Structures are given as C-alpha cells and as structure tokens.
Amino acid sequence: METAVYQSPIGGIKISVDNAAITEACFTEDNRNDYSENALINQCINEMDAYFQGNLKQFSIPIKLTGTDFQNRVWSELLKIPFGKTISYSELAIRLGDLKCIRAAGTANGKNKIPIIVPCHRVIGKDGSLVGFAGGLEKKEWLLKHEGIIRSEQMKIFA
C-alpha cells in the first residue's frame, strides 16, 4: 500500500492505493505535499486538481470500497448522485429500499473513506440543511458551493 498527501483548496487529502485502485482519499491535518511515483496516486491527484479547478465532474480513477454489504450499497448509491445535485438522507434511505434505515445510511455515509470521489457531501438534510460530514461542515459547504448547488447568500438561512 502506498500513500501520498495532496493539498486541496480545502485541506490535505491522504490518498492510499493498493495495486489496482484508490482505497482511501480522506481529509487529513497533514499539511505536507507528498507526491509519489505511483501512477494511480498521480492519476488521482490529476483528477482532484481538475475537479477543484472546475474542469471535472465525474472521476474515472478506479476505487476499491471496503465495508459491509450495507455500507457498499450506500456508497454505490452515492456514486449515482450527479455533480451539482443533492439528495436528502431520507431519499438515500428510500433508494436503499427502506426509509427506516435512514440512520444506518447516515452512519455508512460517514464511514466513506473516499469522500469527494464517492460524493457523500451531496447528501443533505430533508430541510436543505448541511447535516453531517466527516470532513467538517465548512468543507461540505465549500464543496456544494464549488459544484454550484448552493450560493453564499443561501447559507445565511442556516446560520
């Protein structure tokens, strides 16, 4: 397993790869720029750069999600949410086939080790509030603004 730290506009992202896919791309407090000669890490960094520059709406880097069957179902649903769109946690639960699993879906959402690429930031509260994000709500807000989902003036409602 190889790792690198990429400095994005919203902080460090630790990227880990195995032989065939990205296994982690999580926010980190590590502030070093640690690039690697690994082709997958370099592809991930290039795609992240393009995303943050507004030139990429869907990642093509191979990913490997490791979790329970339920977590994998949740993460698969997250991958279906297009750039610039959101769904509510209750909509996520409905897509999974059971509104009663809303809390479990939220918990699985929070255990996503590849945020941004697996866009857990696109899941919001039913009332439009920015609830829950392992990277912090300020990062979630930044990502949703970046994707044109919310405008700065809309955030005043939630303050």
Side-chain angles (χ1 to χ4, degrees), residues 14 17-19 26 31-32 36 38 41 44 51 59 74 88 99 106 123 125 135 139 145 147 149 153 157-159:
K14 178 185 172 192
V17 299
D18 65 11
N19 293 332
C26 283
N31 60 5
R32 63 192 162 108
S36 169
N38 182 288
I41 288 175
C44 185
Y51 170 82
F59 291 86
V74 170
S88 67
L99 183 57
V123 183
K139 287 179 174 70
K145 284 180 182 176
E147 294 188 13
I149 296 167
E153 59 271 12
I157 323 173
F158 303 116

Side-chain angles (χ1 to χ4, degrees), residues 73-85:
R73 284 181 48 223
V74 170
W75 300 331
S76 292
E77 285 302 319
L78 298 178
L79 287 166
K80 296 175 185 176
I81 307 169
F83 180 95
K85 301 289 182 192

Side-chain angles (χ1 to χ4, degrees), residues 106-137:
T107 299
N109 198 27
K111 293 184 186 261
N112 172 17
K113 291 185 179 183
I114 311 177
I116 301 175
I117 296 171
V118 179
C120 52
H121 61 280
R122 296 180 188 152
V123 183
I124 60 174
K126 193 173 186 175
D127 64 356
S129 60
L130 305 185
V131 293
F133 189 63
L137 290 181

Side-chain angles (χ1 to χ4, degrees), residues 23-146:
T23 58
E24 179 181 34
C26 283
F27 295 107
T28 179
E29 296 299 316
D30 195 337
N31 60 5
R32 63 192 162 108
N33 260 337
D34 178 14
Y35 289 86
S36 169
E37 293 305 313
N38 182 288
L40 279 173
I41 288 175
N42 290 334
Q43 180 185 351
C44 185
I45 288 169
N46 289 336
E47 288 191 21
M48 288 276 187
D49 277 341
Y51 170 82
F52 284 113
Q53 292 166 6
N55 300 322
L56 182 79
K57 294 184 177 182
Q58 186 169 353
F59 291 86
S60 63
I61 187 86
I63 59 172
K64 181 172 150 185
L65 297 163
T66 305
T68 66
D69 287 344
F70 181 76
Q71 288 170 335
N72 283 308
R73 284 181 48 223
V74 170
W75 300 331
S76 292
E77 285 302 319
L78 298 178
L79 287 166
K80 296 175 185 176
I81 307 169
F83 180 95
K85 301 289 182 192
T86 60
I87 65 169
S88 67
Y89 285 95
S90 56
E91 173 63 24
L92 177 59
I94 290 167
R95 289 181 181 194
L96 293 166
D98 184 0
L99 183 57
K100 293 177 189 169
C101 75
I102 188 168
R103 287 183 192 262
T107 299
N109 198 27
K111 293 184 186 261
N112 172 17
K113 291 185 179 183
I114 311 177
I116 301 175
I117 296 171
V118 179
C120 52
H121 61 280
R122 296 180 188 152
V123 183
I124 60 174
K126 193 173 186 175
D127 64 356
S129 60
L130 305 185
V131 293
F133 189 63
L137 290 181
E138 67 286 342
K139 287 179 174 70
K140 185 172 189 167
E141 178 183 344
W142 192 98
L143 291 165
L144 295 176
K145 284 180 182 176
H146 174 69

